[in-house]
Amino acid sequence: MRFFKWIFLLVVLPLGILMTALWTAFQFFPQEKLRAMAAVELGRRTNRQAEIGPFHLAFGGLIIESLRLSEVPNFRAGIAIEAKGIRLGWDLQSLWEGLNVKNRMITRSRGRFHMDEFHNPHYSAKDFSLTWSLSGIDRTWKHLRGWARLEQGPGLFQNIDRLVATNPSVNLALAPIIVLINMEKDGLINLGLPNLKRWPIDNIRGDYRFNDGYMEVRSFNMASPALRVATEGTVELAGGRLSMDVRLTSPARAVREALDAKVHIYGTVAQPKIDLISLQKTVFKATLSKFLRDRHSGAGINLDDALKKLFR
């Protein structure tokens, strides 16, 4: 998925490539000059403006106290991300074994990326970690093999309707939830689902396997007070084809029924399609029928047809 490509191509690999030059220069230049040089190089690779805070470099990893990346092309366009407590750890043996000098590529990587906290205009989170062991890395992503694990602590979505509209990966992850939220907005259901303007998250956990360019999502679980999301399936990294099963559950409250919905997502990452497999809620059909009667009195609306239109 594009999320992993962004992490590796825009952050992990550029910082790894910079390690040797920075380690050599560390003995001869003040850190302020080194940070300025590294910011220029990172900005050149990401087509953004970068500001890098104090850092500490060792053969086994890099610690950066703070980092700011602008939107394309500079900070006048806005801030893409602000992060603190960044730690990038790598395994030198895997980097050496995967070094492809001819193609200027690193084909094997094992390590860990961590941020104590980060913020962007749509999402804030604490204790984000990505651990991986990968081989077969190339520009096509068709030979990628290995595994990755994602962990994150508390987070907060803000104005996610705007984020979904511009980011295909986020649209894929949140599409089933957006459908239900829109239904609740229209009065079809009353589950107390999160508001698009502000949605707190308790934690996120992900377990991924890669084999010949396919990513198997063994589990992706997002927990929040109002809603829990559990996802599994496969994604073709190069072409973006996907097949995912998502289960959405919410706790029962005194005035609301519990939600237990199962959704199948297929198509591509850029253009996902949704099939509703089941939606178990005691009063849902009665509420929906009344809603349709109120809006289309005497129009002969078929309940099953109406449901299909809502989820297509």
Side-chain angles (χ1 to χ4, degrees):
M1 291 172 65
R2 296 186 183 185
F3 170 75
F4 288 101
K5 293 181 182 180
W6 185 89
I7 288 291
F8 285 110
L9 291 180
L10 299 187
V11 179
V12 177
L13 290 181
L15 290 177
I17 292 171
L18 289 173
M19 177 204 50
T20 304
L22 288 175
W23 176 259
T24 303
F26 192 79
Q27 309 299 324
F28 305 100
F29 292 93
Q31 190 174 114
E32 291 78 8
K33 289 186 178 181
L34 288 177
R35 296 206 306 268
M37 293 166 55
V40 169
E41 179 66 12
L42 184 58
R44 184 182 68 83
R45 289 179 176 272
T46 61
N47 194 29
R48 301 167 188 266
Q49 190 176 354
E51 292 181 358
I52 300 176
F55 63 81
H56 313 277
L57 182 65
F59 280 111
L62 175 68
I63 298 174
I64 301 176
E65 294 183 14
S66 62
L67 172 68
R68 291 206 316 159
L69 279 177
S70 74
E71 297 285 3
V72 177
N74 53 47
F75 283 113
R76 285 194 294 272
I79 298 174
I81 186 171
E82 290 184 277
K84 295 181 179 179
I86 304 165
R87 297 190 290 277
L88 174 62
W90 50 71
D91 181 87
L92 287 178
Q93 181 178 349
S94 69
L95 292 176
W96 175 255
E97 292 173 352
L99 183 62
N100 186 327
V101 178
K102 180 180 178 181
N103 295 322
R104 293 182 294 179
M105 286 283 297
I106 295 175
T107 63
R108 182 186 298 268
S109 176
R110 184 166 56 246
R112 184 172 186 265
F113 178 70
H114 176 89
M115 292 184 286
D116 287 344
E117 60 180 271
F118 70 91
H119 310 273
N120 70 24
H122 302 291
Y123 190 58
S124 302
K126 294 182 178 180
D127 297 324
F128 174 91
S129 294
L130 181 66
T131 308
W132 69 89
S133 179
L134 300 171
S135 62
I137 301 171
D138 61 21
R139 292 181 177 87
T140 69
W141 297 88
K142 291 182 178 180
H143 309 99
L144 190 66
R145 298 178 298 278
W147 57 267
R149 285 193 295 270
L150 182 150
E151 296 181 338
Q152 184 209 281
L156 176 66
F157 281 107
Q158 299 183 85
N159 300 315
I160 61 174
D161 50 342
R162 300 178 191 173
L163 182 60
V164 166
T166 58
N167 190 307
S169 296
V170 175
N171 180 36
L172 169 65
L174 300 181
I177 303 168
I178 299 300
V179 169
L180 293 178
I181 289 175
N182 288 336
M183 290 174 65
E184 186 165 55
K185 243 163 63 175
D186 281 342
L188 295 177
I189 51 179
N190 182 22
L191 298 168
L193 294 175
N195 189 294
L196 291 177
K197 299 295 182 183
R198 183 179 175 86
W199 178 14
I201 300 295
D202 290 336
N203 59 71
I204 296 176
R205 300 288 184 270
D207 184 13
Y208 310 89
R209 295 295 183 273
F210 300 88
N211 187 31
D212 291 333
Y214 282 85
M215 179 177 71
E216 176 192 0
V217 182
R218 291 194 169 182
S219 66
F220 176 81
N221 299 306
M222 183 164 55
S224 73
L227 188 68
R228 290 183 177 271
V229 182
T231 304
E232 58 183 29
T234 59
V235 179
E236 181 190 23
L237 295 175
R241 290 181 300 172
L242 60 93
S243 177
M244 311 281 284
D245 291 313
V246 182
R247 184 177 183 183
L248 308 169
T249 58
S250 70
R253 295 180 175 84
V255 295
R256 299 185 180 100
E257 298 288 339
L259 169 72
D260 190 348
K262 295 179 181 178
V263 175
H264 180 68
I265 305 178
Y266 62 102
T268 65
V269 172
Q271 294 182 315
K273 299 178 181 179
I274 300 174
D275 275 342
L276 177 66
I277 299 174
S278 68
L279 179 55
Q280 298 172 1
K281 183 176 185 290
T282 306
V283 298
F284 173 74
K285 259 196 172 178
T287 304
L288 180 57
S289 297
K290 181 178 182 301
F291 172 85
L292 292 175
R293 284 197 304 272
D294 291 344
R295 286 203 173 183
H296 306 282
S297 179
I301 300 297
N302 181 277
L303 181 59
D304 291 332
D305 290 342
L307 275 172
K308 289 178 181 178
K309 289 179 182 178
L310 282 169
F311 288 92
R312 289 285 183 176

